[in-house]
Amino acid sequence: MEYDVVVVGAGPAGLSAAIRLKQKAAADGREISVAVLEKSAEIGGHILSGAVIDPKALTELFPDWKARGAPLETAVTKDRFLLLGPAGQAEIPMPLLPPIMHNDGCYIASLANLTRWLGEQAEALGVEVYPGMAASHVVWEAETGRVKGVVAGVFGVDREGRPTGEFQPGLELHGKYVFIAEGVRGSLAKTIMAKHHLCDASEPQKFGIGLKELWQVPAEKHRPGLVQHTTGWPLDENTGGGSFLYHFGDRYVAVGYVVHLNYKNPWLSPFDEFQRFKHHPAIAEHLEGGTRVSYGARAITEGGFQSVPKLAFPGGALIGCSAGFVNVPRIKGSHNAMKTGMMAADAAYDAVMAGRSGDVLDAYQSAYDASWVAKELKLVRNAKPYLSKFGTTLGGAFGVVEMWLGSLTGLTVPWTMTHGKTDAAATGLAKDHKPIAYPKPDGKLSFDKLSSVFVSNTNHAEDQPAHLKLLDPSIPIRVNLPKYGEPARLYCPAGVYEVVYGDEAAKTDPRFVINAQNCVHCKTCDIKDPSQNIVWTTPEGGGGPNYPNM
């Protein structure tokens, strides 16, 4: 199937790009064909975010978004920032924090529902949107090495890799340009970045894992418009992270925790840190008496300005979180993702109308370099490295001072700090750290992994190859278990990885088990495995979580 532009991923970036292409064609009285592929069974089903949304990019895309009924439900009315200790808290007055960390003019909403709305707008403009179509391979042009398209929609392969009676070989979708909008740590993006050396001049990408629950609380506890962020407990001084808690919509409270994946202690479990965090009095008071509606987890790009790769390659572009535009101090990225999709669309539209195809969209790179996205990321570029180098308290203070300097003067400091090693390489040895004894969940505020996966609505066809691949099947037991305690069983937020023993009491005859059907597509294993032995690939289209209102 031939298109002018093929977009892989129907998230905010991919859909914004598709919409922009059609808008420009309509304004010029021209035609442009656009296809968007989405691995989730429905648009928005795999979208997970806090989310407090800056409507800046949405307003550029649809100045009349309010009249069109965009589901930005609840305007922010109050900002709070707390430092947590084991039993108490201290509130930092918001006037002490730089303006970029304030949420004036922003909205609390479900990013998944906003994405569904964007999907409707795209289809109304004539974009062909295909949910349940996982793009599994890049189609390369052999002579030039350019990206010619993707293979999508392979179905009916059994767990041994053999075609079944329901086998469908998939389609090749070719585009004059192909936009990669898979989100964080996409499998196609990894392949393209490696082949075209897109990351050679940038710092290693850094990541966090974000865990989120949606609660519905009694009316007397609901405080629409409240935004509360915290740092500190339960993480120690040298483990980066923090929380969010937002009141919005129909008595909803979105509560979540982010753990930076450069943590050293291999015994740490981000899921269990999140569960015990909810028992803190400053958090429990918002949730007690409420009902947990849904759960999910997702990796987050945190490298920022210095980790953004080269954005254009022969035949296409990286947009949104495939390249990594999250502003860590703001805890926001959807506005940047949308804007990068729009800038790539502008470049591709001009190229197609000029009769070009398959070249490098240098105009997209130039537009990004001059954009408010790059300016915003440059202002906060040292915030993450400060935390990594100096710890939460001192590093956070350095970041705040630098952001204030930029806000007051418009100037940035002359240095750009490096990230150094990858998050996988940051993992320490098991013998150098103490195991962490986590409290048992009470089933009221805290829960176990399997019951959490259940409310994420995760499902995969059982008779398909495991989409979580081991480069060397011996490494989990031969290397990771003795050196690191096999941290996959702890950093995975969905109970995918287990070490089971032939004799549980004696801890003999260990085996590594992958429960791929539990996977919520967070990609943490692909990022944090210290041996870099786990490769996340796309399962059959339609598999994975299905997040309502998340």
Side-chain angles (χ1 to χ4, degrees), residues 485-514:
E486 187 40 270
R489 61 196 176 85
L490 294 169
Y491 59 60
C492 174
V496 169
Y497 302 102
E498 294 181 279
V499 174
V500 298
Y501 295 89
D503 186 333
E504 189 68 37
K507 299 295 183 188
T508 57
D509 188 23
R511 289 187 303 112
F512 190 61
V513 176
I514 301 178

Side-chain angles (χ1 to χ4, degrees), residues 288-299:
E288 287 170 339
T291 301
R292 185 174 70 152
V293 175
S294 190
Y295 162 81
R298 192 74 176 90

Side-chain angles (χ1 to χ4, degrees), residues 90-416:
E91 183 166 357
I92 297 179
M94 290 305 295
L96 296 181
L97 296 177
I100 199 168
M101 294 180 68
H102 294 223
N103 290 291
D104 303 325
C106 295
Y107 293 82
I108 309 168
S110 159
L111 188 61
N113 288 343
L114 179 61
T115 302
R116 292 180 178 98
W117 180 84
L118 286 171
E120 294 170 359
Q121 308 308 305
E123 290 183 315
L125 288 166
V127 176
E128 296 180 31
V129 182
Y130 298 108
M133 293 283 281
S136 53
H137 296 86
V138 178
V139 179
W140 306 97
E141 187 174 76
E143 299 81 13
T144 65
R146 80 170 179 94
V147 175
K148 184 179 178 181
V150 295
V151 176
V154 178
F155 290 96
V157 177
D158 70 17
R159 63 184 60 203
E160 304 301 325
R162 298 171 304 208
T164 68
E166 299 178 352
F167 175 67
Q168 296 179 31
L171 297 170
E172 280 196 16
L173 290 93
H174 295 174
K176 294 174 181 174
Y177 298 97
V178 178
F179 289 174
I180 304 298
E182 298 170 294
V184 179
R185 196 73 168 193
S187 51
L188 302 189
K190 282 177 61 179
T191 303
I192 294 169
M193 286 191 283
K195 184 174 180 67
H196 287 293
H197 305 283
L198 302 183
C199 301
D200 285 3
S202 58
E203 281 289 299
Q205 187 58 265
K206 306 295 284 184
F207 300 91
I209 178 173
L211 306 109
K212 175 185 175 181
E213 292 175 353
L214 186 67
W215 287 64
Q216 196 162 40
V217 300
E220 63 271 16
K221 291 214 168 190
H222 196 224
R223 300 167 62 185
L226 172 64
V227 166
Q228 178 175 292
H229 294 113
T230 76
T231 190
W233 188 88
L235 299 178
D236 63 32
E237 176 67 17
N238 295 311
T239 304
S243 81
F244 59 86
L245 186 147
Y246 308 144
H247 287 245
F248 74 109
D250 183 18
R251 296 185 288 113
Y252 288 135
V253 174
V255 60
Y257 209 82
V258 176
V259 177
H260 299 178
L261 286 175
N262 62 353
Y263 64 82
K264 296 178 180 178
N265 187 349
W267 302 107
L268 186 145
S269 166
F271 175 88
D272 292 297
E273 297 291 349
F274 174 39
Q275 296 306 314
R276 70 172 174 173
F277 151 80
K278 289 181 292 175
H279 286 274
H280 193 283
I283 309 304
E285 65 172 328
H286 295 270
L287 305 177
E288 287 170 339
T291 301
R292 185 174 70 152
V293 175
S294 190
Y295 162 81
R298 192 74 176 90
I300 303 164
T301 54
E302 294 187 339
F305 182 78
Q306 54 270 60
S307 295
V308 173
K310 185 179 178 183
L311 299 177
F313 51 83
L318 302 173
I319 61 177
C321 284
S322 285
F325 300 107
V326 170
N327 182 321
V328 171
R330 292 194 77 191
I331 323 177
K332 290 179 183 59
S334 59
H335 63 303
N336 289 339
M338 293 176 67
K339 179 61 175 176
T340 59
M342 293 155 63
M343 290 187 290
D346 289 343
Y349 178 80
D350 290 343
V352 170
M353 293 304 140
R356 290 160 40 206
S357 67
D359 58 335
V360 178
L361 292 171
D362 292 320
Y364 169 41
Q365 183 72 54
S366 299
Y368 164 73
D369 292 339
S371 70
W372 52 257
V373 177
K375 182 178 180 182
E376 179 180 311
L377 294 181
K378 188 175 183 181
L379 176 66
V380 302
R381 70 193 183 281
N382 291 325
K384 166 76 173 180
Y386 282 145
L387 292 172
S388 302
K389 186 174 179 62
F390 300 109
T392 299
T393 302
L394 190 58
F398 285 157
V400 165
V401 169
E402 187 172 311
M403 286 184 281
W404 263 120
L405 176 67
S407 298
L408 293 173
T409 67
L411 303 175
T412 60
V413 296
W415 60 86
T416 296

Side-chain angles (χ1 to χ4, degrees), residues 415-438:
W415 60 86
T416 296
M417 294 184 67
T418 61
H419 295 305
K421 53 192 172 186
T422 66
D423 293 332
T427 311
L429 299 176
K431 66 181 180 62
D432 296 333
H433 298 271
K434 290 183 178 180
I436 302 172
Y438 289 105

Side-chain angles (χ1 to χ4, degrees), residues 78-90:
K78 184 171 179 59
D79 258 328
R80 299 185 74 199
F81 194 96
L82 307 180
L83 299 178
L84 298 188
Q89 71 268 359

